[in-house]
Structure formats: C-alpha cells, structure tokens
Amino acid sequence: MPDKTVKAVITDWGGVLTSPLNDAVGAWLAADRIDADRYRTVMRAWVKQAYDGAGTNPIHGLEDGSLATEEFERLLAAELLTVDGGPVAAAGLISRMFGAFSPVEPMYEALRAARAHGTRTALLSNSWGNDYPRDVFADLFDAVVISCEVGLRKPDERIFHHALGLLGLDAAECVFIDDIEHNVRAAESLGIRGIHHTSADATIAELRELDLLP
C-alpha cells in the first residue's frame, strides 16, 4: 500500500540531479591528461578521511566552507601530475572537474511532479565550489541547503536537522535521496527514510511507491 506519511523529498544534487560524478571526473582526467591512478589514490585517501571522521582534510574544508575553493584547487593540483609527469593547473580546476555534469531531466521532472502533487521538496548538497543552476531552484524547492553556506556537511546530523527545520517537518515525514550510501545511512539513523540513488528509473519508482508522484 502507498505510504502517505511521507510529506517531503530531500535530495542531493551532484550524481542525483546531475549525470554521475565518475563520468564527469573521467572526462576531466582525459581532457587535462591527468594521471588517473594518481588522482584516484589521492582522492580515495581524502574521501576516506572525510567520511570516517579521522581528523580533517581539504574535503571537509571545501564542503563546510572553511577552505576557499582556490586553496582546495591549489592543494589538489599539488598532489597531481599529468600523464607526462608535468604539473596540473590549479586555477579553474573545480570548474574543469565538473564541466561534464549535465542535468538528469527525469529527476527534475519527478521533483516538479511531486511538488505539484503536494509534496514539499528540499535540496541538501555538499558543495565542491560548484556552479549550481540556481535559476531553476525557486520552481523546484521549498528549501535549499548548500553545505558551504551553512558551515555544515553531510553526514553531520546537524545539517539534516537544519533541512528538517526549514521544511517544518519531522524526520519520519521525509525521504532523503543521495548517491553516497554513507549519507543515506546517516539520514536513516535520524529516522528519515533513505533512497540510495543508483539510477533515475529506480529512484522514481521508489518515489511512486511512496505515493509521492501522481
């Protein structure tokens, strides 16, 4: 039976409303002729630290706004090499990294349909200095939470509580969509229903099962 207790959809942006992160990164590595193995080794270590809570690192700072985008670009570029062993340009690195991001229109359509169906919607995104399509946000979301603007980052429970407060809803009244399973589990630990996003079709099917789509 449809579950009518869910009144809001909270969604991530990169990798949910956009094409997959790995696709964008792959295009960037190829275009900038960056040593892909070296990049993945560096990023694997940084991401592990960022999500295991073992100290702080540049990803923490970039996402919570305490580290300037330009400084993150400098730190990351310093760890990388081109396939020829040369330096990687720091300036504009983030824009190049995410340059191949493209919107996933079925997900945008699903959000609009859910909102028209009476469901509240919110964006909850860990920013990497991204250029968000803010011109469409007013028509998509009742609340927008971007990590660097609130000084908090997923999976910190405080950023979930912040989003819930903006929506004026309890955790059990919301569903949260993210392509990073760690973030989904963090939301679930607070009583929010989680959807681990692997494809637009699968996520839309789950939203339909929750009676959030007409």
Side-chain angles (χ1 to χ4, degrees), residues 8 115 119-123 137-144 166-167:
R115 204 172 183 209
T119 302
R120 294 176 66 75
T121 57
L123 179 73
F137 282 2
D139 294 329
L140 279 174
F141 301 115
D142 296 289
V144 172
L166 292 177
L167 289 170

Side-chain angles (χ1 to χ4, degrees), residues 41-113:
T41 298
V42 171
M43 196 53 63
R44 190 177 298 118
W46 283 12
V47 168
K48 180 174 172 55
Q49 289 174 347
Y51 283 91
D52 286 354
T56 59
N57 72 5
I59 291 177
H60 280 108
L62 181 65
E63 290 182 341
D64 70 17
S66 61
L67 182 71
T69 301
E70 294 78 13
E71 179 63 9
F72 178 89
E73 291 177 328
R74 188 190 68 77
L75 291 170
L76 180 55
E79 297 285 341
L80 302 179
L81 292 172
T82 67
V83 292
D84 300 325
V88 171
L93 187 150
I94 291 289
S95 292
R96 299 196 306 277
M97 181 186 290
F98 296 107
F101 260 173
S102 60
V104 178
E105 292 301 339
M107 286 300 301
Y108 277 89
E109 291 166 9
L111 286 174
R112 291 189 182 97

